[in-house]
Amino acid sequence: MQASIETRDLTRRFGSFIAVDRLTLRVERGEVFGFLGANGAGKTTAIRMLCGLLQPSSGTGKVAGCDIQTETDGIRSRIGYMPQKFALYPDFSVEMNMRLYGGLYGLKGQALRDRMDVISRLLNLEPLLSQRTDSIPWGWQQRLNLACAILHKPEILFLDEPTASVDPVSRRHFWDIIAELAASGTTIFVTSHYMDEVEYCGRVAILVQGRIAALDTPVGLKTTYGHASLGEVFLDVVERAQTTSSTQ
Amino acid sequence: MKASLRRILVAGHKEFLHIIRDPQTLAIVILMPVIMMFLYGYALNSDIHNAQLLVEAPVPSAASRALTSRLNASTFFSVPGSIPASADPLQPFRSGQARALLRLPPDFEASLRRPGGAALQVIVDGSDPSVGSRMRGAVEGAVQKTLMDYLDIEPPHILDQRAVVLYNPEQRSAMFFVPGLMAVILLMISALLTSIAITREKETGTMGQLLITPLRPGEIIAGKLLPYVVLASLDGLLILIVGRLIFGVQVAGNLFFLAICSLIYVFTALSIGLLVSTIAKRQHHAMMMALGATMMPTVILSGFIFPISSMPLFLQVIAHIVPATYYLQIVRGIILKGVGLRELWQPLLILGFEGLLLFGLSIRKFRIKL
């Protein structure tokens, strides 16, 4: 079966700085994949390449069956992206924001209304539809962000530190929905530097200085490195990778 | 193609909703042109009207009374009556009571009929140079005419000079500023508002979010600019209607040609707004830049108020870069002179060229920023 995301030696240089270094990975359909790294490890650059916003310096990749260099239009209509910072229109009502994003993805008429109904029910946004977006609490704004990212039934959903500043109850609810989406075949690609976010992932890649330093299930990682928490694993992996690179 | 057009319309509709949901922008779009028209129309009027003129007559006589009442009857001046001779004739100027003073000699009546004539003195407040020189001419002209009538003599026939004033025979300043305001208002809507709107999206991060949707960069720009083209068109129409109804300015030329030329100007102004938004990081940067780089040169250098030919060479060079300079030639040509493409192709060509240049430049910069 074709992978949802597949890259080979994906590299991006900015001048002499190598932001992403020969990234090779394969994410299956319906998988919840964690992409873990410190600030500056190359997460954002990698994501931007996968979303077709940035051309790689070398290497190849396919996202949702589309080439990341030549078929960026195809990629953008097949993925959803939820930024860590709220990026919707505060002066619009909840409903207007949803209608706008549905429209940008080509949804219209009855199909758009049906889809908005389904999503607002799924995310419990129904009572808030007519409210101005800047008047609802942060946790709900985050849900609206998610709603706008999945209206068009994306094949892959990119989440950037999705629950970094959300209370534990909302977080739990959020990940329940993510699990539901994954079960229905949506691939989830989560980037974060918060350990408790990637606990929910099927597999986790740890990125250090643009390279994948470790890749396994959360349980596998803990066993391999002999630590009780992913946080300790992360620190261990980063330390080892840095020692190797400095002895080279 | 069809999908692309649909996305542009969705993005354009979104921008339109932003505008109608923001009272501030709405006020700028609707009230600003009207307020500016009334301000320029009534306050910034250099036509002389009811200027305070004092007549100093040490010995009142029939001649001085005739002169005073004739001057007072003219709409140019308001003469509160004649005043006695004073030791300090400049006092009324210092206190702001007078804009002009006409001093008559004590033997005014008698000297009028003497060979050699009467010696009068006109003192004018020249602090506003254009008003000062106009007032001097007006006082001298009125005195001359009144005294001729009073003495019942004809002016000597040496020359028969007749002037014909074209396009604005009554010399009303409204005829001059209404077309000029088109240039200022259209620029403000197109350059200032768009640059702020685009910078706001960059600032809030929504631009990044739009780029990840199927919207292409070109479609984002097109959708963003579309509502402002509509607004600018509406404002152009509003200025013409108010100009016609309140200030009696009629368009002598072809309205359709005026619309096309205005759209080319709007395109140029939008490109400036776009260029500003690729440079500015924050909304207030965009505002300062748009004001400094477009509004100021347009108001001061384009010939909107001050004639370009009177500027020093250095400023004339800059004036010939400002797009509004060419649009003003066009819009005054159409509205006042009623001329068309045959007379205006040159400024139109330059304006279009500047538009394409700025648009190309801003698209390039916009792409690089992604």
Side-chain angles (χ1 to χ4, degrees):
Chain A
M1 202 187 88
Q2 198 183 32
S4 222
I5 300 173
E6 191 167 18
T7 67
R8 185 166 299 278
D9 293 329
L10 203 58
T11 302
R12 174 69 205 203
R13 279 181 289 270
F14 294 105
S16 63
F17 173 70
I18 305 175
V20 173
D21 191 6
R22 284 165 287 155
L23 183 76
T24 300
L25 58 84
R26 185 183 161 94
V27 181
E28 302 301 333
R29 187 163 174 266
E31 194 177 354
V32 180
F33 189 86
F35 204 53
L36 201 58
N39 292 328
K43 285 184 311 226
T44 311
T45 306
I47 296 270
R48 283 169 60 82
M49 286 194 284
L50 293 181
C51 294
L53 292 177
L54 188 69
Q55 287 286 310
S57 306
S58 62
T60 58
K62 279 196 164 204
V63 171
C66 299
D67 189 283
I68 61 167
Q69 293 186 59
T70 57
E71 296 169 299
T72 53
D73 282 351
I75 291 177
R76 282 183 299 160
S77 61
R78 288 176 177 81
I79 63 168
Y81 177 84
M82 185 179 137
Q84 72 183 89
K85 210 184 128 214
F86 180 74
L88 295 170
Y89 298 99
D91 55 327
F92 280 7
S93 72
V94 169
E95 191 180 2
M96 285 166 74
N97 268 309
M98 286 173 74
R99 196 183 298 278
L100 168 66
Y101 274 89
L104 290 179
Y105 283 100
L107 291 171
K108 56 188 164 187
Q110 193 58 41
L112 175 60
R113 277 192 291 278
D114 290 348
R115 195 61 194 148
M116 281 171 64
D117 282 347
V118 170
I119 299 296
S120 39
R121 211 169 309 135
L122 177 71
L123 296 174
N124 294 332
L125 284 166
E126 283 161 312
L128 301 173
L129 284 178
S130 61
Q131 295 210 30
R132 254 179 83 111
T133 305
D134 54 8
S135 71
I136 64 174
W138 161 240
W140 292 95
Q141 290 182 349
Q142 191 71 336
R143 267 187 211 200
L144 179 58
N145 245 344
L146 179 63
C148 291
I150 61 176
L151 267 174
H152 61 293
K153 299 189 189 165
E155 291 176 36
I156 306 167
L157 175 61
F158 287 90
L159 303 172
D160 190 4
E161 293 178 13
T163 56
S165 52
V166 170
D167 67 84
V169 180
S170 300
R171 176 174 300 175
R172 183 71 220 198
H173 182 248
F174 181 88
W175 284 103
D176 284 346
I177 293 164
I178 294 301
E180 224 171 289
L181 286 172
S184 66
T186 309
T187 307
I188 314 287
F189 194 96
V190 188
T191 54
S192 190
H193 57 251
Y194 292 97
M195 301 310 135
D196 35 4
E197 287 199 314
V198 287
E199 285 281 2
Y200 296 94
C201 296
R203 284 192 302 154
V204 175
I206 298 176
L207 203 64
V208 183
Q209 290 168 354
R211 284 183 220 176
I212 293 182
L215 199 166
D216 205 342
T217 62
V219 176
L221 284 172
K222 287 181 220 170
T223 318
T224 311
Y225 289 88
H227 291 297
S229 77
L230 269 182
E232 287 166 290
V233 173
F234 179 65
L235 291 174
D236 201 352
V237 169
V238 171
E239 214 159 278
R240 287 190 202 194
Q242 276 167 349
T243 328
T244 350
S245 71
S246 58
T247 51
Q248 268 172 359
Chain B
M1 193 60 214
K2 201 178 154 222
S4 175
L5 193 66
R6 233 194 77 78
R7 287 194 294 264
I8 292 175
L9 288 180
V10 171
H13 179 240
K14 165 211 154 257
E15 197 59 34
F16 181 70
L17 289 176
H18 282 309
I19 296 167
I20 60 168
R21 289 170 74 86
D22 179 18
Q24 233 174 317
T25 311
L26 216 53
I28 291 180
V29 171
I30 297 170
L31 292 178
M32 197 71 133
V34 178
I35 292 174
M36 279 178 88
M37 287 198 81
F38 278 89
L39 284 180
Y40 280 105
Y42 292 119
L44 271 185
N45 201 333
S46 57
D47 298 348
I48 301 171
H49 196 74
N50 278 342
Q52 286 287 319
L53 168 69
L54 297 182
V55 178
E56 183 187 300
V59 182
S61 61
S64 78
R65 276 188 291 271
L67 191 57
T68 308
S69 70
R70 268 296 281 272
L71 287 172
N72 195 25
S74 115
T75 55
F76 282 173
F77 307 107
S78 159
V79 187
S82 60
I83 53 165
S86 105
D88 181 7
L90 299 186
Q91 174 54 31
F93 288 95
R94 282 196 291 272
S95 64
Q97 281 172 301
R99 300 298 297 272
L101 171 65
L102 176 63
R103 303 181 77 193
L104 308 179
D107 57 346
F108 180 53
E109 180 85 56
S111 66
L112 272 179
R113 301 175 199 279
R114 268 205 305 267
L120 310 184
Q121 186 181 33
V122 179
I123 303 177
V124 166
D125 177 354
S127 45
D128 181 332
S130 71
V131 172
S133 66
R134 274 158 164 248
M135 238 170 12
R136 182 179 156 199
V139 175
E140 285 172 353
V143 169
Q144 185 104 28
K145 190 159 187 322
T146 308
L147 291 181
M148 294 270 196
D149 287 352
Y150 177 72
L151 298 174
D152 199 19
I153 48 176
E154 289 288 314
H157 277 283
I158 305 166
L159 280 174
D160 187 6
Q161 273 198 101
R162 288 178 195 197
V164 176
V165 177
L166 291 175
Y167 312 128
N168 182 6
E170 293 151 59
Q171 299 269 276
R172 290 182 304 129
S173 56
M175 295 294 279
F176 194 61
F177 82 78
V178 168
L181 268 182
M182 296 267 289
V184 176
I185 300 279
L186 293 190
L187 187 83
M188 194 178 64
I189 302 287
S190 311
L192 186 63
L193 291 186
T194 45
S195 64
I196 293 176
I198 296 177
T199 317
R200 183 191 298 139
E201 294 234 22
K202 289 206 300 188
E203 207 177 317
T204 54
T206 48
M207 186 60 92
Q209 195 64 15
L210 286 182
L211 285 169
I212 238 157
T213 71
L215 265 184
R216 300 195 187 105
E219 295 166 359
I220 296 183
I221 294 174
K224 206 85 200 152
L225 301 189
L226 201 61
Y228 292 99
V229 175
V230 176
L231 287 184
S233 308
L234 287 178
D235 268 353
L237 211 57
L238 184 68
I239 295 171
L240 287 182
I241 292 173
V242 175
R244 172 77 194 264
L245 295 181
I246 313 257
F247 297 103
V249 177
Q250 295 203 31
V251 179
N254 187 320
L255 265 178
F256 182 68
F257 183 57
L258 177 62
I260 291 181
C261 295
S262 300
L263 281 177
I264 293 176
Y265 177 62
V266 165
F267 168 72
T268 308
L270 286 172
S271 304
I272 297 175
L274 202 57
L275 194 60
V276 166
S277 71
T278 60
I279 303 166
K281 295 233 161 33
R282 302 252 172 263
Q283 284 179 63
H284 62 264
H285 292 167
M287 188 151 90
M288 294 314 290
M289 258 192 258
L291 282 175
T294 66
M295 294 300 286
M296 298 246 290
T298 296
V299 171
I300 295 168
L301 295 179
S302 69
F304 169 52
I305 300 174
F306 311 111
I308 295 175
S309 55
S310 320
M311 294 173 193
L313 186 65
F314 157 69
L315 286 181
Q316 282 199 28
V317 171
I318 298 177
H320 281 95
I321 299 171
V322 178
T325 303
Y326 300 102
Y327 180 65
L328 269 175
Q329 289 177 21
I330 296 169
V331 80
R332 283 187 177 141
I334 299 173
I335 295 183
L336 297 180
K337 302 184 190 172
V339 295
L341 185 63
R342 212 147 56 95
E343 293 83 2
L344 297 172
W345 64 271
Q346 219 172 347
L348 192 60
L349 198 68
I350 299 174
L351 187 64
F353 173 73
E354 286 192 325
L356 285 176
L357 192 75
L358 287 165
F359 188 71
L361 206 63
S362 55
I363 291 289
R364 239 182 93 91
K365 281 206 69 124
F366 196 80
R367 288 262 159 79
I368 293 168
K369 282 283 159 81
L370 296 183

